[in-house]
Structures are given as C-alpha cells and as structure tokens.
C-alpha cells in the first residue's frame, strides 16, 4: 500500500499519521512531551525532538511511504550559526517576552506583529543586546529546523512563513517593503547580515521541498529510507485548515484543546490593524485572519479532575471519558446565560484581552443560580469566550463565514461544544471524523498533494473534490436563544476581566 506520512510536533505530542490512496488514515503513532520553563524561557530540548520523532515513527504500522511532510507549532525562535549550531535555547510561541519589539514593529509596518512571531523574537534579542545576534546565520521555526535536518533544504511552506514575517500573498514571498523597513531600522547597529539572508525560502503547497537524505535517514535510525520526497514544512495552523477542508474563502476552522484558535480565509484585506488578529496565510498563500488564544480546556480539565475526586469519596470511579461526557451533557440543562455564574479560565496570559498572566476565577453574584449545570456551562463558555471577542472583531469588519469546522478535545463529546461554538461565532460548525487526527493528518494530505495533484489543480479543488467529497460530517446551526444567552454571558465576562486583571496584580 502506498502511504503518505504527516508528522507534527504539537505542544503536548509528537504525532505521525499515514493515509492511504483513499486519503483515509491508515496508522498513527505518538510521543508525549511538554515544554520546560528554564531561565525564564518556555523551551523544548532539541534532543527530545529526535527521540520523540523516532518513538512516534516506531508505532506507525505502514511505512511504505511515498511522500512525507513535517508540521509543528508555529512561530517561536530558533537561531543558528553558519554550521547550524543552535545559538540560544529554542524560544517557543508560549513566551510573552517580546512586547517592546512587537509594539515597535507593528507601528513600523502598519501590520500586526504578535509577540509569538519569529521576527518579534529576533528584534527583541537585538533590543536586548544579546551576544549571539552577531553570529546568526539562520532563523527558522521548529518545522523548518526538522525539515532542514532531514532534507538539507532550508525552506518552509508559505503558511509557516507567515508566522515568521509578513507575507505578500501576490508574490508568495516575504513582504519586500516591510523587509526593507526592518533592515533600515537596524542599519545603525552594523549587523553582519540582512534579514533576507537569515530567513528560510518560502514555498507554496505542492512545490517539491527536497528528499530525505542519507544523513536524515540516519537521524531516524533508518525508520524511513533515504529518497522519500518531502512537501514544504507547514505550521499547525495550515495543517489544521487542510485537515478540515477550510482553505477556500469564507471557510474556516477552529482548533480547541489546550489552546484555541480560529482561522478564517478572507475575501479581502481587513480595513484596520487589530492587535487581536493575526494575519497569516493558507498553505497556498491566501490571506487568513487568525484569532489565537492561549487558554482553552486547561481549567476545565482541572475541574473535571476535582469532580472526579468528589465522586471517589463515595466509592465511584467513573471512566475519565464518561465523566467528561456526563458533565458536558449536563451543561445543556443550564440557563442560556449560565444563570449569572461566571468563569475566567486564564491559566496563562492572553493577547486578545491584553493580559500578561492568568489567574483562573469562578465568580457569581448572590442572586445567581449556582447549579452544576450552570457552573459547567460557564466553564465551557469560558473556553471560547476570548475567541468570541476576537471573532466579533471580524464580524465588525464584515468578514463572511459560510462554514466553520471544529476539531480538538472540546468537540469530542457530540453536539455540546459544537452548539456553544455555533452560538458564539454566529456560524454553522461542522465536525468530521477524520478531523480528529488533526494537524498530522493535514500534513499527510499536503504530502499526497505533492505527488497526486493534477496539472493546474488547486489545493482547494484537491481537498473538496478528491479528499472530502464522500466524507460525512455533523453540522450544527446557531441556536437563537443560545446565541442571545452567550451574548449576555460575554457582556458579564468582559466586566469580569477587570476582576481578572486585579487578581493578576494582587495574587
């Protein structure tokens, strides 16, 4: 059987997925890892990249692979010298240490530069006067680093590149005018490089991006043979869009797990610069509005654990999956506005609401209806409340959304998460069985597109007509009463943010 391999380095798992010629998943393997907080930096050791990847590949049953691709969490900062020696520990997207750089670059470019972006990390290191700046020869992302180590090709997909530096969608390359502005900005520092010299090449989906070299195969201990062609490496945003058939204008997807983000493909550019909205691209370079939130199910998971402990006091030991399902379904019995119960789920800071740190809160007024159903409904509303604030900005900009596709842990219990998300976003939300495989499945499809695309065939047509033509999904339309209740909850939630800010300052 010919298979196409997608590999993704997520924030909690390294996962490998193969698909067959019918594009259905064939096998999967994974490896669990976690970010480390060392010397004030969220990082992952690069040695674990290779140990984890080998462990994930060992569990992939079908390795007669004819094409492959690498995906990873977007953004961050990996700086190397000319011999590809790492100069400073990997700085991940989780770090919020580039505020001054992001603010200055946003004003310079007239284009929102979030703190997570690679260019913000680079400029902040320059502002800090860090010793390694003069020795940099290459800046890349985690996906770009792994791809280069396996193929010898220093390139990334255009979607991944759009989280490094702003992209000119017409040219399918970094924005030349903004790049010139950056070089002029740092010219007085007499650095021995220009920005373009540091960054990886940009490739759209479907373009060849090298083959697995003998050295790359050795890194994998022979688990994949040399010679396999590789697709351009992509970020988890682009692979999530591919996995959910959300690369055409007016479509979008929502990934909801530890963090939550939405991607909406635009018909036209936004009129204003919004700090809450990232402007990135699809794997083919089409403009996308991204609302990224650091917090989603983390606080809910903690409460489920506590409620499980309470059940254990009476001798009950519910299965974790069953406990989640029962609590999710119980929330449907709650009031549309959660009866006045409010939850802020911030374990970490949030760029959308301009919060530098998080303090999880449960708050209510004396007259609120504090029931289990209302409490857990408020918990689930909180997972998507910050996302809704960002999505409301897109609505005010006149962005049209015909369809959203949901994937991730929030949607595992049928109907519940979908219903709340449809109400929050004012758009139908679809969940597909294959979307459960997430980003690595999307990367496997991009690997298949590399070899199977027809002459002039677009990624949109490839997905719509060949991959997802017979795939069934469950679609839920927005419920009016639920939408009105969510709007009432959001008004109180935005007032609650003042309490959250005080908690961050005082606790």
């Amino acid at each position: 059987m010919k298979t196409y391999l997608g590999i993704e380095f997520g924030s909690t798992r390294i996962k490998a997925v193969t698909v067959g010629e019918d594009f259905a998943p064939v096998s999967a393997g994974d490896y669990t890892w976690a970010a480390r907080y060392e010397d004030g930096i969220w990082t992952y050791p690069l040695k674990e990249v290779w140990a984890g990847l080998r462990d994930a590949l060992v569990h992939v049953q079908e390795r007669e692979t004819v094409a492959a691709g690498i995906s990873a969490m977007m953004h961050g900062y990996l700086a190397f010298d000319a011999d590809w020696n790492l100069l400073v520990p990997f700085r991940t997207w989780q770090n919020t240490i580039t505020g001054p750089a992001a603010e200055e670059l946003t004003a310079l470019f007239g284009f929102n530069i979030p703190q997570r972006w690679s260019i913000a990390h680079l400029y902040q290191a320059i502002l800090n006067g860090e010793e390694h700046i003069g020795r940099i020869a290459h800046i890349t992302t985690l996906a770009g680093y792994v791809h280069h180590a396996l193929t010898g090709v220093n390139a990334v997909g255009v979607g991944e590149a759009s989280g490094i530096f702003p992209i000119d969608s017409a040219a399918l390359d970094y924005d030349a005018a903004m790049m010139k502005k950056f070089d002029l900005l740092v010219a007085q520092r007499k650095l021995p490089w220009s920005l373009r010299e540091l960054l990886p090449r940009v490739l759209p989906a479907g373009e060849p991006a090298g083959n697995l070299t003998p050295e790359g195969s050795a890194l994998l201990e022979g688990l994949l043979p040399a010679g396999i062609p590789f697709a351009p490496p992509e970020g988890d945003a682009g692979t999530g869009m591919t996995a959910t058939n959300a690369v055409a204008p007016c479509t979008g997807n929502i990934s909801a797990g530890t963090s939550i983000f939405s991607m909406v493909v635009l018909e036209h550019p936004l009129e204003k610069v919004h700090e809450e909205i990232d402007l990135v691209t699809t794997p083919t370079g089409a403009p996308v509005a991204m609302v990224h939130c650091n917090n989603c199910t983390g606080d809910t998971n903690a409460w489920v654990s506590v409620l499980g402990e309470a059940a254990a006091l009476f001798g009950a030991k519910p299965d974790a999956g069953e406990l989640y399902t029962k609590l999710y379904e119980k929330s449907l019995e709650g009031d549309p506005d959660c009866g006045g119960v409010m939850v802020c789920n911030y374990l970490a800071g949030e760029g959308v609401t301009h919060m530098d740190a998080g303090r999880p809160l449960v708050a209510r007024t004396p007259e609120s209806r504090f029931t289990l159903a209302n409490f857990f409904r408020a918990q689930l509303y909180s997972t998507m409340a910050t996302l809704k604030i960002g999505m409301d900005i897109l609505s005010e900009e006149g962005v049209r959304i015909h369809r959203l596709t949901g994937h991730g842990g929030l949607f595992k219990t049928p109907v519940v998460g979908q219903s709340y998300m449809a109400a929050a976003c004012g758009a139908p939300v679809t969940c597909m069985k294959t979307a459960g495989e997430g980003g690595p499945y999307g990367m496997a499809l991009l690997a298949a597109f590399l070899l199977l695309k027809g002459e002039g065939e677009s990624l949109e047509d490839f997905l719509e007509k060949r991959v997802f033509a017979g795939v069934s999904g469950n679609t839920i339309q927005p419920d009016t009463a639920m939408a009105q209740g969510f709007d009432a909850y959001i008004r109180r939630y935005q007032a609650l943010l003042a309490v959250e800010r005080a908690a961050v300052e005082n606790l």
Side-chain angles (χ1 to χ4, degrees):
M1 178 188 296
K2 291 181 179 180
T3 59
Y4 305 89
L5 172 66
I7 295 165
E8 184 157 277
F9 293 82
S11 57
T12 59
R13 287 192 302 166
I14 300 170
K15 192 169 183 181
V17 169
T18 58
V19 302
E21 292 176 279
D22 60 354
F23 309 113
V26 173
S27 64
D30 65 4
Y31 169 86
T32 300
W33 68 344
R36 303 180 186 183
Y37 192 65
E38 298 177 349
D39 299 324
I41 298 291
W42 287 105
T43 189
Y44 295 84
L46 295 193
K47 286 185 178 179
E48 194 173 6
V49 166
W50 301 107
L53 177 53
R54 289 190 293 266
D55 195 69
L57 286 174
V58 163
H59 295 91
V60 175
Q61 296 173 356
E62 296 290 342
R63 290 198 298 273
E64 298 301 319
T65 300
V66 297
I70 301 295
S71 176
M73 52 189 122
M74 287 180 70
H75 316 299
Y77 182 74
L78 279 160
F80 298 90
D81 67 14
D83 296 319
W84 286 89
N85 296 306
L86 188 66
L87 296 175
V88 291
F90 172 31
R91 299 171 184 178
T92 77
W93 62 272
Q94 295 160 295
N95 291 286
T96 53
I97 56 175
T98 66
E103 183 177 355
E104 187 175 344
L105 292 177
T106 296
L108 177 69
F109 297 154
F111 184 99
N112 183 35
I113 302 295
Q115 290 199 48
R116 300 182 306 278
W117 283 32
S118 305
I119 189 61
H121 279 280
L122 173 63
Y123 187 48
Q124 189 64 53
I126 293 172
L127 293 178
N128 294 345
E130 296 185 33
E131 180 275 334
H132 74 279
I133 288 299
R135 296 187 288 130
I136 295 175
H138 308 288
I139 296 293
T140 191
T141 60
L142 181 56
Y145 159 70
V146 176
H147 180 85
H148 174 265
L150 294 177
T151 67
V153 175
N154 183 21
V156 294
V158 63
E160 175 77 336
S162 69
I164 296 174
F165 192 85
I167 290 292
D168 179 344
S169 289
L172 294 179
D173 200 357
Y174 303 113
D175 188 290
M178 294 185 195
M179 190 167 279
K180 184 176 181 179
K181 287 182 178 180
F182 182 87
D183 285 336
L184 290 172
L185 176 66
V186 300
Q188 73 276 15
R189 299 178 184 270
K190 307 298 183 183
L191 296 168
W193 44 258
S194 67
L195 182 58
R196 182 169 287 278
E197 292 171 346
L198 300 188
L199 302 185
R201 286 192 297 123
V202 180
L203 296 174
E207 287 293 312
N211 298 71
L212 184 63
T213 63
E215 295 79 8
S217 180
L219 277 173
L220 303 178
E221 296 182 351
L223 290 169
L224 291 174
I228 293 173
F230 270 64
E234 266 299 345
D236 52 358
T239 54
M241 298 175 76
T242 304
T244 54
N245 191 23
V247 297
C250 301
T251 66
N253 81 305
I254 295 173
S255 175
T258 306
S259 62
I260 185 170
F261 60 84
S262 64
M263 309 287 295
V264 179
V265 186
L266 300 174
E267 297 174 283
H268 49 74
L270 300 182
E271 292 183 2
K272 300 177 182 178
V273 176
H274 300 277
E275 292 183 10
E276 302 84 356
I277 309 295
D278 293 17
L279 292 176
V280 292
T281 78
T282 68
T284 55
V288 173
M290 178 182 189
V291 181
H292 185 283
C293 310
N294 291 335
N295 301 280
C296 187
T297 59
D299 189 42
T300 301
N301 294 343
W303 277 103
V304 171
S305 179
V306 167
L307 294 170
E309 287 185 41
L313 292 175
F314 298 90
K317 295 183 179 180
D319 172 78
E322 183 181 11
L323 182 58
Y324 274 95
T325 298
K326 291 290 187 185
L327 290 169
Y328 270 59
E329 292 175 345
K330 183 68 177 178
S331 74
L332 292 171
E333 301 174 15
D335 298 319
D337 66 348
C338 305
V341 180
M342 293 169 285
V343 172
C344 183
N345 67 329
Y346 290 3
L347 294 169
E350 279 293 357
V352 171
T353 51
H354 312 289
M355 208 75 67
D356 291 331
R359 301 290 186 272
L361 296 176
V362 178
R364 60 191 175 97
T365 55
E367 69 275 9
S368 62
R369 286 182 11 91
F370 191 50
T371 64
L372 177 61
N374 278 335
F375 167 69
F376 211 77
R377 190 167 184 139
Q379 274 290 338
L380 295 179
Y381 275 17
S382 77
T383 64
M384 55 193 79
T386 307
L387 181 79
K388 175 175 170 57
I389 292 170
M391 294 294 281
D392 285 347
I393 293 172
L394 296 184
S395 178
E396 292 167 5
E397 280 267 9
V399 173
R400 296 193 303 163
I401 305 174
H402 296 160
R403 182 189 75 238
L404 289 169
T405 305
H407 62 108
L410 186 66
F411 301 106
K412 283 186 177 179
T413 299
V415 176
V416 183
Q418 267 181 277
S419 298
Y420 297 156
M421 191 65 74
C425 297
V429 175
T430 299
C431 285
M432 297 182 292
K433 184 177 180 181
T434 52
E437 300 291 349
Y441 173 69
M443 193 66 241
L445 295 181
L446 290 173
F449 181 62
L450 175 68
L451 294 190
L452 299 180
K453 66 182 186 299
E455 183 68 30
E457 184 178 23
S458 67
L459 179 61
E460 292 90 331
D461 285 344
F462 176 76
L463 296 176
E464 185 70 31
K465 297 176 182 178
R466 299 174 62 180
V467 177
F468 293 102
V471 175
S472 60
N474 175 41
T475 301
I476 292 182
Q477 300 289 335
D479 177 82
T480 301
M482 191 178 291
Q484 291 173 346
F486 208 119
D487 285 342
Y489 178 85
I490 280 293
R491 287 192 291 272
R492 287 196 294 269
Y493 184 88
Q494 290 175 315
L496 180 65
L497 291 176
V499 181
E500 171 71 9
R501 190 162 280 106
V504 169
E505 293 172 357
N506 294 283
L507 295 180

